[in-house]
Amino acid sequence: MLLEVRNLTVYYGTVQALNNISLSVNEGEIVAMIGPNGSGKSTALNTICGTLKAMGGVIRTGKIVFMEQTINGIPPHYLVKKGLCIVPEERRVFPTMTVLENLEMGGYILHDKRTIKNTMEKVFQLFPVLKERRKQRAGTLSSGEQQMLAIGRALMLQPKLLLLDEPSLGLSPNYVEAVFEKIKEINKNGTSILLVEQNARMALEYADRGYVFKIGEIALEDTGKNLLGNEEVRRAFLGKD
C-alpha cells in the first residue's frame, strides 16, 4: 500500500474539520474524493501533504503512512523529496515567469542537469502546448493551459503519489476532459493519484476507487463504477441523466 490514512481527526482551533477518517491509495491507482464544499476533502489533502499546520490546523488523532513511513508532522519539502507532491487548488503558477521557468522551479530538487532536461522533455511530450509556449509568461496562458503547467511543474518532482486539488476548477468543458485524459495518462506512466474534485461524474469515471465525504466524515467508499451507479450518490452529486 502506497498511502494509508488511519483514524484521522483534524481541528482548526475548536472547529473539527475531520472526524476519524480512514482512506488508502494502492500503487497504480487513481482514487477520488468527492463531496459538498466544506466536507473536509481539501483538509484531508493538506494534512497528507504536510501543509495543515501552516493553515492553522492540527492533527488530534490518527496516523498517515506513506511508503511504510509515518509522516505526521513531517515538513512538505521532505515529503516532496520522498515522492509526495500536491497540485493546489487554483493552480498557483508563477504568472510573471515563463512556462520554462515555472518548470525549472518545479525541478528544484533535481540537481543533475541531464535529469532535469530528460524530465522536462517528458513533460513536453505529455503537454505539447507547454513546449509551444515555453517562452510565454504563465500569466498569459488560458486557465486550461495553466492547469497543465501546474501539473507539469509537479511532475518535474518525479512524484510517486500526485495529489490534485480540484483540477477541473474554472475550466471549459473541453479542457476538463483534456485534463482528465492527461491524468489518466500520467497514471498509466506509473504515478499514483489522489484527487479532490467537484465534478463528481468525471472523477468517478476515471477513478479506480472513490470516497464520498460528508461533514468531515467518509460516508461511502467503493469502486468508481459502483459509486457512479449508487442511487444516493446519483441524487446528491450526479443529477438526472
Side-chain angles (χ1 to χ4, degrees):
M1 189 174 293
L2 187 63
L3 174 75
E4 186 176 11
V5 176
R6 304 172 186 166
N7 308 116
L8 187 68
T9 297
V10 169
Y11 276 77
Y12 291 105
T14 60
V15 178
Q16 187 179 58
L18 296 175
N19 179 30
N20 198 42
I21 71 162
S22 296
L23 59 87
S24 64
V25 180
N26 297 310
E27 286 194 28
E29 279 192 316
I30 299 177
V31 177
M33 296 189 288
I34 65 170
N37 289 333
S39 61
K41 307 181 304 296
S42 291
T43 295
L45 275 194
N46 290 324
T47 305
I48 291 166
C49 75
T51 59
L52 178 71
K53 185 177 180 181
M55 297 179 176
V58 61
I59 297 174
R60 288 283 182 88
T61 62
K63 182 182 290 188
I64 306 168
V65 180
F66 178 62
M67 295 180 64
E68 302 183 348
Q69 178 186 352
T70 300
I71 61 172
N72 293 42
I74 291 179
H77 67 272
Y78 177 85
L79 296 179
V80 165
K81 291 178 181 179
K82 191 172 174 62
L84 194 158
C85 185
I86 187 169
V87 178
E89 187 177 347
E90 297 181 347
R91 299 170 280 279
R92 301 183 193 175
V93 298
F94 302 109
T96 61
M97 298 171 65
T98 66
V99 168
L100 188 62
E101 288 168 339
N102 269 266
L103 295 176
E104 288 172 342
M105 288 292 290
Y108 73 96
I109 65 171
L110 306 176
H111 301 296
D112 179 68
K113 290 185 179 180
R114 179 172 293 182
T115 301
I116 293 172
K117 181 179 178 180
N118 291 342
T119 305
M120 191 176 295
E121 190 54 43
K122 290 178 181 178
V123 171
F124 284 151
Q125 288 174 6
L126 183 68
F127 299 115
V129 67
L130 297 184
K131 187 170 186 178
E132 294 171 9
R133 310 217 192 295
R134 62 189 180 277
K135 295 182 180 180
Q136 189 171 325
R137 288 189 179 184
T140 66
L141 301 176
S142 70
S143 295
E145 290 165 348
Q146 287 187 23
Q147 184 62 70
M148 292 179 181
L149 176 57
I151 294 172
R153 185 178 60 189
L155 292 177
M156 288 295 297
L157 296 164
Q158 301 179 331
K160 295 179 177 66
L161 176 61
L162 183 62
L163 310 180
L164 300 172
D165 196 355
E166 302 285 6
S168 76
L169 184 67
L171 304 188
S172 68
N174 287 342
Y175 264 121
V176 170
E177 187 170 354
V179 165
F180 269 90
E181 281 296 317
K182 294 302 182 181
I183 290 171
K184 183 177 180 180
E185 189 173 345
I186 291 165
N187 179 248
K188 285 185 175 181
N189 289 338
T191 302
S192 303
I193 293 170
L194 176 63
L195 66 93
V196 165
E197 179 54 57
Q198 282 296 108
N199 188 332
R201 183 184 298 277
M202 185 69 76
L204 295 177
E205 284 177 354
Y206 281 81
D208 297 293
R209 292 187 300 112
Y211 295 90
V212 181
F213 278 64
K214 185 178 181 181
I215 316 176
E217 299 181 348
I218 293 176
L220 291 170
E221 170 193 355
D222 211 329
T223 65
K225 182 179 179 179
N226 286 348
L227 288 174
L228 277 171
N230 183 288
E231 190 59 35
E232 183 179 351
V233 174
R234 290 169 68 86
R235 286 198 307 269
F237 304 111
L238 305 182
K240 296 181 180 180
D241 291 330

